[in-house]
Amino acid sequence: MADINTGHPSEGAPINITTGQRIRAIVGASSGNLVEWFDFYVYSFCSLYFAHIFFPSDNPNTQLLQTAGIFAAGFLMRPIGGWLFGYIGDKHGRKTSMLISVCMMCFGSLVIACLPGYNAIGLWAPVLLLLARLFQGLSVGGEYGTSATYMSEVAAEGKKGFYASFQYVTLIGGQLMALLTVVVLQHILSDSELRAWGWRIPFALGAVLAVVALFLRRSLNETSDRATREHKDAGSLKGLWKHRRAFIMVLGFTAGGSLSFYTFTTYMQKYLVNTAGMETKTASGLMTAALFVFMLIQPVIGGLSDKIGRRSAMLIFGGLAAICTVPVLTLLQNVSSPVIAFALVMTSLIITSFYTSISGILKAEMFPPEVRAMGVGLSYAVANALFGGSAEYVALLLKGMGNETSFFWYVSAMGAVAFLVSLMLHRKGKGIRL
């Protein structure tokens, strides 16, 4: 395993690689990241078609609520994944951690693709579905922290925001691929065929793509040096405790960022169908276009953060999310024009981009290299599990209680929390203001 990090241990800056090598490293890391998130998001986008397979019920909202509960349960494994893969990444190398995580995601997708339904194996069907999702949640929990760390370390100084933004390009790209796959299947197969067996195709495809990503990641160089991996605090909770204030801050702005992200991406399709009364195909097409634009603007805003600072970008996100979320979701309740709906969704996604484009690099800059993978991964996973993964479940639960507007204010309030936490960042956006 070749080390490319020969910088000072406290900085972890890779200095002995060319621009071409950096780009190849970003592409290699991103390929696995894209597949990981494709596999994870396929579940959300296909749930409209397989909910009845695992949860027989006369009420479609109850079925969606149950599948959303399992989607949220997958997030509960993320803190464990953040800790486990953070340890592996800090102690044994970023590359090793990323290889293991993509293998685990492949296995989880393959299980779901082949899993019999409730009518065939009874209660074992939802139980095994839950176990497969927990396995995938463990994998994704480890993927984020390690890939964010790797991409921040391989990026060039002065362009770290731009390079690191490609983590969310591939994260959104994975989500977009999942949605596009569903859209294509909607045009090829009938609704009854999708509900009977067609929904399994994306999961099988995800397992195959994971194998491809595994081979691409094998060619990656290691960004952590031997001194970092042999540091007495490397990958330890004791070492991370020394940076607990940074950890708590990441929890704060990740809570608001993740909640906003999942509200306007994975949940938005269901919101447009169940609340606005939009046709399923129309909602899928609208969200495909919105996610595509969302993906393209990540490097633009990531590059902007290199100019204005991470702190300024985070303050823009937190402030606008707190102010604009309630009006946007309220207007979307009764929207009839897909064009207006697209404009409203894009407004919130552009605001969210000021968080997503710099999410990984901002967190990585707040921790030293010996606990960076764990610091980024664990703090992100905890906040993401509590707020991001539960977004869809909370929204559907409040809707079922006839109090849907409370969810709007909840998302807005967490945006305000992100704003307040971001005030504690240094003006250059790196670390904490002491």
Side-chain angles (χ1 to χ4, degrees):
M1 182 183 296
D3 291 349
I4 63 173
N5 180 357
T6 57
H8 191 278
S10 66
E11 296 297 329
I15 60 175
N16 285 342
I17 58 174
T18 65
T19 299
Q21 288 175 318
R22 282 197 176 94
I23 293 173
R24 286 193 293 273
I26 292 291
V27 171
S30 298
S31 64
N33 196 40
L34 185 146
V35 172
E36 287 263 2
W37 293 99
F38 170 85
D39 287 355
F40 197 77
Y41 283 124
V42 154
Y43 179 94
S44 177
F45 292 131
C46 288
S47 63
L48 287 168
Y49 296 105
F50 69 71
H52 69 286
I53 297 289
F54 298 100
F55 304 100
S57 172
D58 294 330
N59 188 335
N61 192 65
T62 299
Q63 291 176 337
L64 286 177
L65 189 60
Q66 290 170 323
T67 54
I70 287 187
F71 183 76
F75 280 76
L76 297 179
M77 291 299 289
R78 288 193 178 191
I80 300 175
W83 165 76
L84 176 61
F85 286 94
Y87 168 80
I88 296 172
D90 288 329
K91 196 71 176 177
H92 302 285
R94 324 304 191 201
K95 177 181 175 180
T96 300
S97 180
M98 290 191 292
L99 287 173
I100 296 173
S101 68
V102 79
C103 287
M104 291 180 65
M105 181 58 74
C106 175
F107 176 77
S109 290
L110 192 60
V111 168
I112 297 176
C114 302
L115 189 61
Y118 186 90
N119 291 337
I121 58 175
L123 288 175
W124 279 109
V127 169
L128 291 174
L129 178 65
L130 174 61
L131 289 176
R133 288 299 294 174
L134 293 178
F135 206 68
Q136 287 187 318
L138 185 70
S139 171
V140 173
E143 172 68 23
Y144 180 90
T146 310
S147 64
T149 297
Y150 184 88
M151 295 176 81
S152 69
E153 290 174 345
V154 82
E157 283 296 336
K159 295 183 178 179
K160 284 184 175 288
F162 172 77
Y163 279 109
S165 70
F166 283 89
Q167 181 181 31
Y168 258 87
V169 169
T170 52
L171 191 155
I172 300 165
Q175 187 173 0
L176 182 60
M177 276 183 59
L179 186 53
L180 276 172
T181 302
V182 174
V183 170
V184 170
L185 290 174
Q186 286 172 341
H187 286 84
I188 295 176
L189 304 175
S190 66
D191 187 75
S192 60
E193 288 173 327
L194 275 171
R195 293 180 182 277
W197 54 269
W199 62 268
R200 298 181 184 273
I201 295 175
F203 290 102
L205 177 61
V208 173
L209 290 175
V211 175
V212 175
L214 177 64
F215 282 98
L216 290 175
R217 281 190 165 180
R218 289 178 62 188
S219 65
L220 293 178
N221 290 310
E222 179 57 51
T223 57
S224 65
D225 56 29
R226 186 179 301 276
T228 296
R229 297 193 295 271
E230 293 178 353
H231 192 284
K232 63 183 180 66
D233 289 333
S236 69
L237 290 173
K238 181 180 179 181
L240 184 59
W241 179 252
K242 298 176 182 178
H243 307 279
R244 54 190 176 275
R245 192 179 180 197
F247 186 91
I248 293 171
M249 286 179 64
V250 174
L251 288 178
F253 58 68
T254 300
S258 293
L259 180 58
S260 180
F261 176 78
Y262 284 101
T263 296
F264 291 103
T265 56
T266 55
Y267 176 63
M268 185 49 56
Q269 183 191 15
K270 296 179 180 65
Y271 184 76
L272 292 174
V273 172
N274 295 333
T275 298
M278 193 175 289
E279 290 289 331
T280 301
K281 289 185 179 181
T282 302
S284 295
L286 186 155
M287 287 307 300
T288 299
L291 286 173
F292 182 71
V293 177
F294 187 38
M295 178 180 68
L296 293 180
I297 63 177
Q298 298 305 302
V300 176
I301 299 181
L304 179 62
S305 77
D306 289 323
K307 305 295 183 182
I308 67 174
R310 322 286 185 235
R311 181 178 185 269
S312 296
M314 283 300 301
L315 290 174
I316 290 171
F317 159 69
L320 291 180
I323 295 170
C324 299
T325 298
V326 173
V328 167
L329 289 175
T330 300
L331 289 171
L332 280 170
Q333 278 185 312
N334 302 306
V335 70
S336 57
S337 168
V339 175
I340 295 176
F342 176 80
L344 290 170
V345 171
M346 278 311 308
T347 297
S348 292
L349 288 178
I350 290 171
I351 292 171
T352 305
S353 292
F354 281 90
Y355 162 77
T356 55
S357 63
I358 64 168
S359 171
I361 184 64
L362 174 61
K363 294 163 190 173
E365 288 174 335
M366 295 177 70
F367 298 97
E370 67 270 12
V371 292
R372 185 171 292 152
M374 180 176 288
V376 175
L378 184 57
S379 57
Y380 166 82
V382 170
N384 202 245
L386 294 176
F387 298 93
S390 65
E392 189 174 312
Y393 186 86
V394 172
L396 288 170
L397 183 63
L398 290 172
K399 178 179 175 61
M401 296 169 60
N403 196 18
E404 191 170 29
T405 55
S406 294
F407 180 72
F408 308 168
W409 288 102
Y410 166 55
V411 179
S412 180
M414 295 312 300
V417 170
F419 178 85
L420 293 174
V421 173
S422 299
L423 288 172
M424 293 186 287
L425 290 169
H426 280 307
R427 292 199 175 275
K428 290 185 179 180
K430 296 178 69 173
I432 309 166
R433 188 182 69 205
L434 300 176

